[in-house]
Amino acid sequence: MSRIPPDALTALQQAATHHAAGRHRLHLVPSENRLSLAARLPHLMDAAVRYAFPGPEDGSENWAWPGRQDLVDVEKTAANRLGAQMGADFVNLKPVSGVSALTAALSALAKPREIAYNLAESDGGHGSTRFIGTRLGLQMKDLPVDPATCTLDLDELARCLGAGPRPGLVYLDAFMCLFPVDLPGLREIVGPETVIHYDASHTLGLIAGGAWQNPLAEGADTLGGSTHKTYPGPHKGLLATNDAGLAARLDEHASHFVSHHHPADVVALAVAAAEMDDRGPAYAHATVANARRLGAALAGRGFTVCGEKAGFTDCHQLWIDIAPLMDAEEASRRLFEAGLVVNAIPLPHITSPAGLRLGVQEVTWAGMREDGIDELAEVFTAVLRDGQDPASLAPRTRALAVAIAPDAGPGEQVLRVALAAAGIGGGA
């Protein structure tokens, strides 16, 4: 084994320290999830440093990149499995992230100077959509949203469009979401020629598990997004459709925007997809149940939880307007000291500059159920409403974290062996 330079050991030690600290916190950020040990292993394999391109359609060897057929086969299997979960005939795994999928979709599905609608950032739209769409030459316009329902205002959209031409593209890019979109109603308004693209970055795992609307079955032409939020996979992206022509366009554009789509991540996604086949429906429905239970528990303790009249949420996210108690960044800092990691960011339709965005998908995938959610609500309340010392509550959070991810678990054992082999001990 070659000598590891001291600075490399320092970097590994810092990452190991971060890992150890993070394991004893509860991560409630809606855009993150955890990978199983099986899904992490491909990054220790040769797949992590290779390209993998298919050969001729007859399945024979690609002599420009020989010896990669095993990886190509894994990708085909993963695409087929994900297609079954999404109800899609065509799945493209070239995107390396959600924004990578976003870029390819905007480029492929609308022509320069065409009108494309998406959600304003103030209504929960992704911050990159408008920038990228404009740079691609699209005329980007805001979809109207009803603050009372936190979803599209289709009556207002119909009034805006009137009898005029329909947009070339409607890009549904909610990274702040609580409730589904009325896709059949949207399709009726924009007509059959407008392409509707559904960015499922946040809800992909709920779609796969049957706990959220199925966009492709309800009127969307294409679907895309990242694979590491409610879907418990690696940081990667995908595009999907049932339209062969749109699939060809998406593949052409994705191929030019992404030259190398990271085979180790593809294998990790294949593992996650098999895991979702095994336990996805139970996980997805438990995620929604946990989010609603936490929303009700916090509202019952005096917190202002958005969407209360509609049951707080239909997905993994909760939005808390914390301004009546304190500044959102101060609330995030206090929760962090107690071992709870949350987003302090601007929320749609609240007057304060920022609120707290929570997500329960990661703790649910790890196995948390009703009693853990109730204890979580108690810690949250003690820190923010009752003013208890956050550090004094950290042991309760740590107990919850260890209960769903024991220190002696197989993943931690493997990591300790790997760190020891690199000359680092005790970091994890």
Side-chain angles (χ1 to χ4, degrees):
M1 176 177 163
S2 61
R3 185 183 73 87
I4 300 177
D7 286 350
L9 288 173
T10 298
L12 289 171
Q13 182 64 65
Q14 288 173 320
T17 300
H18 168 82
H19 173 87
R23 287 201 69 258
H24 296 138
R25 299 182 181 119
L26 290 179
H27 294 262
L28 302 173
V29 175
S31 51
E32 298 174 343
N33 213 321
R34 61 180 65 190
L35 280 178
S36 69
L37 171 61
R40 291 173 185 260
L41 289 178
H43 295 90
L44 295 176
M45 297 180 182
D46 204 45
V49 299
R50 301 299 171 203
Y51 288 86
F53 301 119
E57 291 186 5
D58 63 7
S60 58
E61 188 76 35
N62 179 351
W63 290 109
W65 300 91
R68 318 298 163 95
Q69 193 59 44
D70 288 340
L71 299 177
V72 171
D73 290 344
V74 169
E75 182 172 349
K76 289 179 180 178
T77 300
N80 289 337
R81 194 182 296 274
L82 284 155
Q85 293 172 0
M86 306 301 147
D89 292 334
F90 306 96
V91 173
N92 188 307
L93 299 183
K94 287 186 173 70
V96 294
S97 69
V99 170
S100 172
L102 181 157
T103 304
L106 285 173
S107 177
L109 300 176
K111 299 180 178 66
R113 294 179 293 281
E114 262 193 317
I115 292 174
Y117 276 81
N118 78 298
L119 292 161
E121 285 188 62
S122 59
D123 289 321
H126 196 282
S128 296
T129 311
R130 185 65 52 93
F131 177 86
I132 294 171
T134 300
R135 295 294 294 176
L136 290 171
L138 308 182
Q139 298 183 52
M140 305 296 295
K141 296 182 179 293
D142 293 341
L143 285 164
V145 171
D146 182 357
T149 62
C150 299
T151 189
L152 292 187
D153 187 336
L154 295 182
D155 291 337
E156 180 61 24
L157 178 62
R159 283 192 291 271
C160 290
L161 294 177
R166 269 32 193 168
L169 173 66
V170 171
Y171 193 104
L172 299 170
D173 58 334
F175 89 106
M176 304 285 289
C177 59
L178 294 176
F179 304 108
V181 173
D182 179 0
L183 284 166
L186 176 61
R187 172 59 71 194
E188 184 176 353
I189 290 169
V190 300
E193 300 303 318
T194 296
V195 175
I196 298 176
H197 179 83
Y198 192 103
D199 192 317
S201 291
H202 270 272
T203 55
L204 193 70
L206 304 182
I207 295 167
W212 184 255
Q213 68 184 139
N214 187 316
L216 295 178
E218 294 183 20
D221 297 289
T222 55
L223 176 150
S226 57
T227 59
H228 60 267
K229 296 179 174 70
T230 54
Y231 207 92
H235 281 231
K236 188 154 179 56
L238 59 75
L239 295 161
T241 184
N242 286 311
D243 185 302
L246 291 178
R249 282 160 56 183
L250 289 169
D251 185 64
E252 177 190 8
H253 288 249
S255 296
H256 285 290
F257 279 107
V258 181
S259 65
H260 172 44
H261 56 293
H262 304 171
D265 286 331
V266 173
V267 178
L269 183 56
V271 172
E275 292 170 339
M276 282 294 287
D277 267 357
D278 183 56
R279 52 182 286 230
Y283 152 70
H285 285 90
T287 296
V288 177
N290 279 348
R292 289 173 176 161
R293 187 180 185 94
L294 181 58
L298 294 177
R301 289 163 172 79
F303 291 96
T304 302
V305 185
C306 300
E308 181 171 5
K309 291 182 179 179
F312 304 106
T313 185
D314 283 342
C315 64
H316 61 304
Q317 290 193 20
L318 288 171
W319 303 346
I320 314 297
D321 184 356
I322 201 65
L325 291 174
M326 66 186 70
D327 176 79
E329 291 188 2
E330 171 65 13
S332 179
R333 182 190 65 78
R334 290 178 60 81
L335 290 170
F336 185 78
E337 290 177 2
L340 300 177
V341 184
V342 305
N343 283 151
I345 59 175
L347 298 178
H349 319 307
I350 67 172
T351 57
S352 49
L356 301 180
R357 186 179 66 149
L358 315 182
V360 300
Q361 73 291 337
E362 181 171 341
V363 295
T364 306
W365 181 248
M368 183 176 287
R369 295 298 182 262
E370 291 88 348
D371 55 347
I373 293 295
D374 293 343
E375 171 69 353
L376 177 57
E378 289 290 342
V379 173
F380 195 97
T381 302
V383 172
L384 298 186
R385 188 196 71 184
D386 300 339
Q388 293 187 31
D389 176 23
S392 71
L393 293 156
R396 291 172 66 177
T397 303
R398 178 170 179 153
L400 285 172
V402 172
I404 57 177
D407 287 333
E412 294 308 299
Q413 295 178 36
V414 169
L415 178 59
R416 289 189 185 98
V417 170
L419 288 172
I424 297 173

